[in-house]
Amino acid sequence: MHIDWDLYRVFRIVAQRKSLTASTEELKMSSASIARRIAQLEEILDARLFDRNQDGYFITPAGLEVLPFAEELAKIANAIERNKPMLSASGAKEVRIAAGYWITEFLLREMPSFHRDHPEISVEIVSGYEFANLERRDADLAIRNRRPDVGRLAVRKLSEFQYAVYGRKDYVEANPDSLTEKRFQTCDWIALEENQTRLPSANWLYARLETRPIIQCSYGFHILQGVKSGLGLGVLPRFAGDNDDTLTRVSESLDIADNFLWLVIHEDLRKAIAARAFADWLVALFKENRTQLAPSGDS
């Protein structure tokens, strides 16, 4: 029997999402196309894989029997995709890296040196706070602030980075308390939302803050924009704040532990030419900028 891998791919995603509509974005298909493929697979297998109703698609006992095979096919397809750079005679000329918004800003600032040394390699940066799935080839490499503990992943510690408190120069001049511990009582603050105190920088600030922030943001990167606009003080990574001439650092590096960055690459890609070149550049980059990312002393 001929196996159409794409039918099993569609089946697997619908089983996960439990809805045609919820599956359209990941599959890049219309609901009607997805429904046709499900019906086609059911006809091939002579089995009803889903119960359909107005609330969605719900997998049947027969579908549960098929699902492990679909998962195995997906692993095989992902492994082939990951190994494409090694299969090509010339090697892949592009690399995709996943990083948070802060690190993306840092990488873009430093990227000219990579392109100077590797003009033949194009780089795609996938920015966001969600961890990219390297098994599924969402990215070739990732920079993460937590060390992953699952998957066939090669992991290397890049650096530790530091936070400090910043304000726009004119705000600091107009609010001398910003230079003292009174800042937590009398100054205006731009901060992450209070429900994000699981993040070390937010937890540090809310443990000290005696006034409600005038602005709360969903993403740390937006704090920079608020501070640059002169609204008040904010906690920023030093590699961002120290390089902005419009800002004044009003504190030493904050006592926030475990601010490590990790370089993560799938084992299958360790010998891929483009991925290896970018990984080597990253390691050297963070080594060169270690005094900026994790200053040993404060002025």
Side-chain angles (χ1 to χ4, degrees), residues 241-290:
D242 285 359
N243 280 277
D244 194 314
D245 293 337
T246 68
L247 303 182
T248 296
R249 178 164 59 87
V250 299
S251 77
E252 297 183 347
S253 294
L254 307 183
D255 184 19
I256 300 176
D258 298 326
N259 287 315
F260 293 109
L261 293 176
W262 305 89
L263 172 62
V264 186
I265 182 171
H266 197 278
E267 287 282 0
D268 291 347
L269 286 174
R270 294 182 73 177
K271 295 182 180 179
I273 295 174
R276 182 72 266 164
F278 198 85
D280 290 344
W281 175 77
L282 278 174
V283 170
L285 173 67
F286 279 89
K287 184 177 181 179
E288 291 169 4
N289 286 273
R290 194 158 290 163

Side-chain angles (χ1 to χ4, degrees), residues 8 10 49 59 64 132 150 193 201 261 266 280:
Y8 288 91
V10 172
L49 302 176
I59 197 166
L64 288 173
V150 295
E193 295 170 339
S201 60
L261 293 176
H266 197 278
D280 290 344

Side-chain angles (χ1 to χ4, degrees), residues 38-200:
I38 294 297
Q40 184 180 349
L41 184 59
E42 289 180 325
E43 183 178 352
I44 292 172
L45 298 177
D46 192 24
R48 192 178 80 258
L49 302 176
F50 294 101
D51 287 326
R52 289 94 156 154
N53 61 44
Q54 61 183 6
D55 294 322
Y57 272 48
F58 298 93
I59 197 166
T60 64
L64 288 173
E65 292 288 332
V66 175
L67 188 57
F69 299 104
E71 296 285 1
E72 285 300 315
L73 288 173
K75 290 179 182 178
I76 294 169
N78 288 335
I80 293 173
E81 185 67 23
R82 286 194 304 270
N83 280 276
K84 279 172 59 178
M86 281 74 77
L87 300 175
S88 170
S90 59
K93 298 300 184 184
E94 62 276 336
V95 62
R96 176 185 292 184
I97 181 165
Y101 296 112
W102 286 122
I103 297 302
T104 295
E105 190 270 343
F106 176 68
L107 292 179
L108 289 174
R109 195 171 72 221
E110 302 292 335
M111 196 66 71
S113 69
F114 178 78
H115 283 296
R116 183 176 60 248
D117 296 336
H118 301 281
E120 77 285 1
I121 298 176
S122 64
V123 178
E124 179 181 352
I125 301 179
V126 183
S127 297
Y129 289 113
E130 297 297 324
F131 281 169
N133 188 326
L134 301 190
E135 295 276 355
R136 200 173 55 212
R137 195 68 190 279
D138 290 348
D140 301 321
L141 304 94
I143 299 178
R144 296 178 173 175
N145 59 4
R146 295 199 300 274
R147 178 171 184 153
D149 53 9
V150 295
R152 294 181 56 246
L153 305 173
V155 182
R156 177 165 182 170
K157 185 188 291 184
L158 285 175
S159 182
E160 184 178 15
F161 62 95
Q162 300 288 336
Y163 288 94
V165 178
Y166 294 85
R168 199 169 77 176
K169 288 182 177 180
D170 57 354
Y171 181 88
V172 173
E173 291 171 358
N175 295 271
D177 282 354
S178 63
L179 297 168
T180 73
E181 292 299 298
K182 290 183 179 180
R183 65 175 74 98
F184 300 111
Q185 304 164 7
T186 63
C187 290
D188 296 320
W189 287 84
I190 302 96
L192 287 170
E193 295 170 339
E194 198 164 1
N195 62 6
Q196 296 198 50
T197 51
R198 61 183 177 80
L199 299 175

